[in-house]
Amino acid sequence: MDAEFPIESAPKHHALLGLLLFTLTVFNMTVYGFVLVSVKEISKKQSTFILLFSHGMADMGVMAQLVWISIEIITYSRVPVPWYLDNVLLKTFFKASNYHFIVIAINRAHCILFPMSYATIWKQKVFMAACILCWACGLTEALCYTYAVKVDPRAFIIHNLERMTFSRLRWDVEGADFLNKAEMYYYLCIVILAIIIYLLVLIKLLLAK
């Protein structure tokens, strides 16, 4: 356990909530897993589902963090994993999921806006390359988020057992303010980009009528 990283232990009465969180998350992951198996099979015939399967794997990685923290809440202890490793794992899955979301939006928009060129451009190799790019961008951003910016390690609240949250930053620690603002602008850009893409699709559909 990293001695520089303060541990906030959870009250024992939170164990019931931890059990509830664990049960719901495992149930969701199980259902999601069955869906991904089907998506994987369909992707052998329809290349579009390669992107959906890759996106689903990123989402599974994010949900795994909920299982992780729920076990810690139930057992009233922390898994001895360094904060930086946990942070890289979480951010990689989370960021990769976001990038998949944007690529899927672009893919669907292309299919509707420019149907004649869609099949020519979006081939299996393109989908594979898009998935690899999403994961690479997610990992790169996670590494930069963790190592490139000078931040006091105490700023990272990876698993807060008392509040049952993960991946949070303190505002009152050196460097945390910059990362918090960077995260805010990042998600703002993701949302705006998605809105623009789907707005173009909506306009196209309305004009088609």
Side-chain angles (χ1 to χ4, degrees), residues 7 18 24 30 41 47-48 56 58 77 82 87-88 91-92 94 96 106 110 115 145 149 155 161 171 179 184 186 201:
I7 299 177
L24 291 176
T30 302
E41 290 300 315
S47 298
T48 306
S77 62
N87 197 49
V88 169
K91 292 298 181 183
T92 298
F94 204 77
I106 294 173
H110 189 181
Y145 186 90
V149 182
L161 303 185
W171 286 86
L179 285 181
M184 181 179 65
Y186 165 80
V201 173

Side-chain angles (χ1 to χ4, degrees), residues 4-209:
E4 295 182 340
F5 186 71
I7 299 177
E8 301 176 29
S9 58
K12 291 185 178 181
H13 64 268
H14 278 202
L16 183 59
L17 293 177
L19 181 61
L20 178 62
L21 177 63
F22 176 82
T23 303
L24 291 176
T25 305
V26 170
F27 174 77
N28 289 334
M29 290 184 71
T30 302
V31 174
Y32 205 55
F34 280 114
V35 173
L36 285 181
V37 170
S38 300
V39 171
K40 177 63 176 176
E41 290 300 315
I42 298 174
S43 67
K44 296 177 181 178
K45 298 180 179 179
Q46 179 55 258
S47 298
T48 306
F49 285 83
I50 295 175
L51 189 59
L52 298 178
F53 176 78
S54 183
H55 185 203
M57 292 303 296
D59 289 340
M60 288 286 278
V62 175
M63 286 190 286
Q65 281 281 338
L66 291 174
V67 175
W68 185 338
I69 191 173
S70 64
I71 292 176
E72 291 182 332
I73 293 171
I74 294 171
T75 60
Y76 200 43
S77 62
R78 286 279 187 86
V79 176
V81 176
W83 67 268
Y84 47 85
L85 178 59
D86 191 7
N87 197 49
V88 169
L89 286 174
L90 173 63
K91 292 298 181 183
T92 298
F93 285 114
F94 204 77
K95 302 297 185 181
S97 178
N98 292 336
Y99 288 121
H100 277 87
F101 174 73
I102 293 300
V103 174
I104 290 173
I106 294 173
N107 173 266
R108 295 296 83 200
H110 189 181
C111 181
I112 296 173
L113 298 176
F114 308 102
M116 300 300 293
S117 62
Y118 177 81
T120 305
I121 296 176
W122 290 93
K123 297 183 180 296
Q124 184 178 14
K125 291 182 179 180
V126 175
F127 281 109
M128 294 294 293
C131 292
I132 294 173
L133 182 62
C134 288
W135 284 101
C137 288
L139 176 59
T140 301
E141 189 172 344
L143 291 173
C144 291
Y145 186 90
T146 305
Y147 296 107
V149 182
K150 184 179 179 181
V151 182
D152 190 322
R154 291 174 299 175
F156 294 94
I157 309 175
I158 304 302
H159 285 185
N160 188 321
L161 303 185
E162 184 177 354
R163 297 183 179 180
M164 293 187 290
T165 59
F166 57 89
S167 186
R168 294 291 183 268
L169 281 171
R170 288 186 172 88
W171 286 86
D172 57 345
V173 181
E174 179 186 1
D177 183 61
F178 172 79
L179 285 181
N180 274 305
K181 289 181 179 179
E183 282 281 275
M184 181 179 65
Y185 290 131
Y186 165 80
Y187 288 114
L188 184 61
C189 290
I190 291 291
V191 171
I192 291 176
L193 182 57
I195 290 175
I196 292 174
I197 293 172
Y198 285 115
L199 187 60
L200 290 174
V201 173
L202 179 60
I203 293 174
K204 169 71 173 182
L205 294 175
L206 291 176
L207 292 177
K209 293 182 178 181

